[in-house]
Amino acid sequence: MNQNPDLSAAPGAPRVIPRSEHPVSRTNISPNALRVLYRLKEAGFQAFLVGGCVRDIIIGHHPKDFDVATDALPEELRRLFRNCRLVGRRFRLAHIVYGREIIEVATFRAASAPPPTEEPVPMRSDNEAELLEEELASGDEDPLEVTTPLDQTQPLEILEHADSGRESRSRNSAHRVHDDHGRLLRDNIYGSIDADVWRRDFTVNALYYNIADFSIWDYVGGLADIQAQRLRLIGDVETRYREDPVRMLRAARFEAKLGFQIEAASAAPIERLRGLLASVPPARLFDETAKLFLTGHGADSYRVLRARGLFAALFPAVDRYLEKHPGSLVEDLLVQGLRNTDRRIEEDKPVTPTFLFALLLYGPIAAIIESLPPNRWHEPQAILEACDQALREAQQRVSIPRRIALGVREMYALQPRLEGPRGRRALRLLEQPRFRAAYDLLILRATLGLAVPEVAQWWTTLQAAAPAEREQMVEAAPGGARASAAGRDAAPGSATGAPRRRRRRRPRSSGA
Ligand code: ATP
Ligand code: MG
């Protein structure tokens, strides 16, 4: 057992840091979050900002979103806010919706990993765990990141505050359910703030900002850990990872995002327990993948995940490829692509998961294509089949929504057509919805010598050109640009540098 030593202090005694001694100011808080906090307070409830938003404001970052914790029950929230949606079955939450901004409001939970002095939580009851597994495997929401609106017709299973002594309103006993590995499948037992703190993941994520007097409540030394740039899991480390293996990915994500160090006790079990990620529903791993790679620190996430052996838990086939080809161009392409994505986010430009998955799967797709005879490497059918196989394999772990999978296929199928622009067809390609993503991939490949830079440049110029100029360009270009690609390894399948046989092409006419 690896109990973080100074966290075993009796719960219920926070260090209260008055407003004059911490930097969290209301000017850093979204007006909508303030609206929610004040409304709760005026209705007589406790209301705190909690989690990443408090942590980020203290560090001086702009919070991604604002989470509120309260003693109001979901039903009470629904009555209090007209713009309230109750979401999530495993972990019931309220979304207070203001246009595009959603303030997530969670009722205090009883502790999931109890402090050592408390009774252990009940283990799974009858076959509820299996039923929930099915529910989750079918893409149900994750415990703290819930987007699926709750079916309003369902009876709510609400337990009154564990500490209030009020009678349970629930007819269902399975409010907290674990599976055989200790994974928490459902957690809807409500508690008070001093119980809520123990089910949070890291000490730096467990600071509560109290709207009543603007103080911060720190039960677990989170403030000191922020100052020391240290990530410490709350409670018994192994239990917490078993309850929710995604916490291992969250550790890596915060290490990458914040540049903090995971302290030794929290880092050590990861190597032994990372296999548990195989039991996490693929839909949830998709969400985590997006947070790891599409929120501005993707290149760092990649580095940390590889170093901690967690990348293999998400993308086994990609990891196998990278292990087999250390220092390959494919890895350079992945890292460069992630850096470009990070830069786009910094510049407030849109990014797409389709491009991300195309990057991630480059290695496996290339390997499948290269296992074919070289004369098939540029065949659209062969490329599509390779994409399908690589996507199918990846889906075993991380679910890839259909529209993204289709996008990845199209991006790859367009590569040979972009590399050999043919007359007016080139102009039609510009109209393809997937052109932009495919072009971005071509540019990236060209940067690394995996496609001919002049061809990529030709497309850049074509897009910027006026209509009349475009006509001239396509008249002049047919086949020429592609011809210059001959002898170079331009297809995804040639990425590892295997020799490519020259493909025999039919002569083309410019107006084709
Ligand atoms: P960010 O918003 O930057 O991704 P965050 O820490 O706010 O980081 P969220 O996923 O928004 O992360 O969750 C909000 C808070 O809920 C966390 O700070 C943490 O206290 C708690 N939390 C989220 N996920 C988990 C989890 N899997 N286990 C325990 N606590 C969690
Ligand atoms: Mg957050």
Side-chain angles (χ1 to χ4, degrees):
M1 294 278 276
N2 184 4
Q3 181 70 44
N4 267 331
D6 44 349
L7 301 181
S8 54
R15 187 181 144 220
V16 177
I17 301 130
R19 172 63 189 95
S20 55
E21 289 168 34
H22 70 71
V24 179
S25 143
R26 273 163 293 164
T27 55
N28 306 127
I29 301 171
S30 118
N32 290 325
L34 284 173
R35 231 165 251 143
V36 171
L37 290 166
Y38 281 127
R39 172 87 63 91
L40 284 165
K41 180 183 156 236
E42 277 150 27
F45 294 107
Q46 290 184 305
F48 295 83
L49 274 187
V50 65
C53 54
V54 180
R55 175 200 71 211
D56 287 349
I57 295 174
I58 293 172
I59 299 170
H61 291 181
H62 187 70
K64 180 160 71 62
D65 45 38
F66 290 85
D67 296 313
V68 170
T70 179
D71 58 352
L73 291 168
E75 276 300 87
E76 291 168 326
L77 292 167
R78 184 142 70 180
R79 281 197 291 273
L80 207 52
F81 295 94
R82 285 227 318 275
N83 48 339
C84 171
R85 270 192 338 221
L86 294 185
V87 297
R89 250 174 304 177
R90 311 165 58 185
F91 196 90
R92 187 152 301 137
L93 291 172
H95 280 176
I96 316 296
V97 185
Y98 295 94
R100 293 181 60 194
E101 188 179 20
I102 292 177
I103 308 297
E104 206 167 87
V105 184
T107 306
F108 297 136
R109 294 304 194 275
S112 55
T117 49
E118 275 184 21
E119 285 291 298
V121 293
M123 288 304 275
R124 50 182 288 191
S125 64
D126 46 74
N127 67 346
E128 176 79 357
E130 279 99 39
L131 288 175
L132 275 164
E133 279 291 7
E134 278 169 30
E135 217 172 74
L136 300 180
S138 69
D140 199 9
E141 68 286 342
D142 67 43
L144 291 125
E145 225 16 78
V146 184
T147 48
T148 324
L150 179 74
D151 179 357
Q152 302 284 327
T153 60
Q154 271 186 348
L156 284 178
E157 309 147 17
I158 294 175
L159 260 187
E160 287 297 328
H161 301 222
D163 59 342
S164 70
R166 284 186 280 172
E167 204 188 337
S168 163
R169 274 193 251 148
S170 167
R171 258 167 286 137
N172 184 335
S173 61
H175 298 281
R176 182 176 289 147
V177 186
H178 291 75
D179 73 2
D180 291 337
H181 305 286
R183 189 159 73 88
L184 192 58
L185 299 178
R186 170 178 285 188
D187 186 6
N188 280 318
I189 300 182
Y190 300 119
S192 60
I193 182 168
D194 53 355
D196 188 84
V197 65
W198 299 100
R199 61 96 187 170
R200 306 226 159 240
D201 50 4
F202 297 93
T203 61
V204 299
N205 288 346
L207 293 169
Y208 295 78
Y209 169 87
N210 187 1
I211 198 64
D213 62 0
F214 317 121
S215 62
I216 287 179
W217 292 19
D218 183 1
Y219 289 83
V220 289
L223 208 55
D225 283 342
I226 290 183
Q227 271 142 16
Q229 308 207 316
R230 182 168 54 209
L231 289 165
R232 261 195 316 158
L233 209 49
I234 296 171
D236 175 64
V237 173
E238 173 150 354
T239 308
R240 301 310 306 284
Y241 284 142
R242 284 188 179 280
E243 267 181 354
D244 183 4
V246 167
R247 289 175 186 145
M248 292 182 264
L249 296 176
R250 288 176 60 86
R253 177 155 72 84
F254 295 127
E255 188 179 2
K257 169 179 167 150
L258 307 171
F260 286 14
Q261 282 286 319
I262 308 179
E263 54 116 31
S266 301
I270 292 180
E271 198 181 337
R272 193 162 38 84
L273 299 178
R274 62 191 172 205
L276 293 174
L277 280 161
S279 69
V280 174
R284 185 154 178 231
L285 293 183
F286 171 80
D287 289 346
E288 288 302 320
T289 300
K291 286 194 221 164
L292 281 157
F293 295 111
L294 293 176
T295 57
H297 46 82
D300 282 330
S301 290
Y302 170 74
R303 180 179 47 77
V304 172
L305 289 172
R306 285 296 304 282
R308 299 210 174 270
L310 287 163
F311 190 76
L314 282 176
F315 297 101
V318 184
D319 194 78
R320 270 199 306 280
Y321 182 95
L322 296 167
E323 288 292 320
K324 209 167 141 197
H325 305 89
S328 64
L329 282 174
V330 167
E331 183 166 15
D332 293 347
L333 176 127
L334 175 54
V335 171
Q336 191 53 51
L338 291 172
R339 284 201 195 117
N340 294 353
T341 304
D342 291 344
R343 199 176 40 244
R344 286 183 66 88
I345 291 166
E346 209 181 303
E347 293 165 358
D348 250 345
K349 293 184 182 159
V351 294
T352 72
T354 305
F355 190 78
L356 171 68
F357 279 93
L359 282 181
L360 285 165
L361 297 181
Y362 199 98
I365 292 173
I368 296 164
I369 295 180
E370 283 178 6
S371 67
L372 301 171
N375 63 338
R376 295 201 55 208
W377 285 358
H378 292 264
E379 253 176 43
Q381 195 51 35
I383 294 176
L384 287 176
E385 279 167 18
C387 289
D388 288 343
Q389 191 182 327
L391 283 159
R392 251 194 325 271
E393 263 183 60
Q395 298 263 25
Q396 310 278 315
R397 269 307 149 81
V398 176
S399 77
I400 305 174
R402 198 176 143 71
R403 97 198 119 78
I404 295 175
L406 290 175
V408 170
R409 294 174 98 236
E410 285 170 37
M411 279 174 66
Y412 276 92
L414 281 171
Q415 293 305 304
R417 292 168 67 191
L418 291 182
E419 286 171 77
R422 295 210 242 158
R424 292 185 168 280
R425 281 191 199 176
L427 289 182
R428 283 206 293 278
L429 281 185
L430 288 180
E431 309 303 320
Q432 276 253 357
R434 208 54 71 179
F435 169 80
R436 183 66 210 194
Y439 160 79
D440 285 343
L441 182 61
L442 178 73
I443 293 281
L444 187 57
R445 293 176 57 221
T447 324
L448 290 154
L450 294 165
V452 177
E454 294 78 28
V455 185
Q457 183 55 49
W458 186 86
W459 283 102
T460 310
T461 316
L462 185 73
Q463 289 173 81
E469 247 179 288
R470 284 185 176 180
E471 296 285 336
Q472 280 175 5
M473 280 184 74
V474 297
E475 294 296 325
R482 178 64 191 270
S484 68
R488 296 286 294 269
D489 298 326
S494 57
T496 52
R500 179 187 150 216
R501 215 183 288 156
R502 203 183 195 117
R503 207 166 71 94
R504 220 186 300 140
R505 280 192 301 272
R506 270 182 278 128
R508 293 166 191 145
S509 75
S510 57

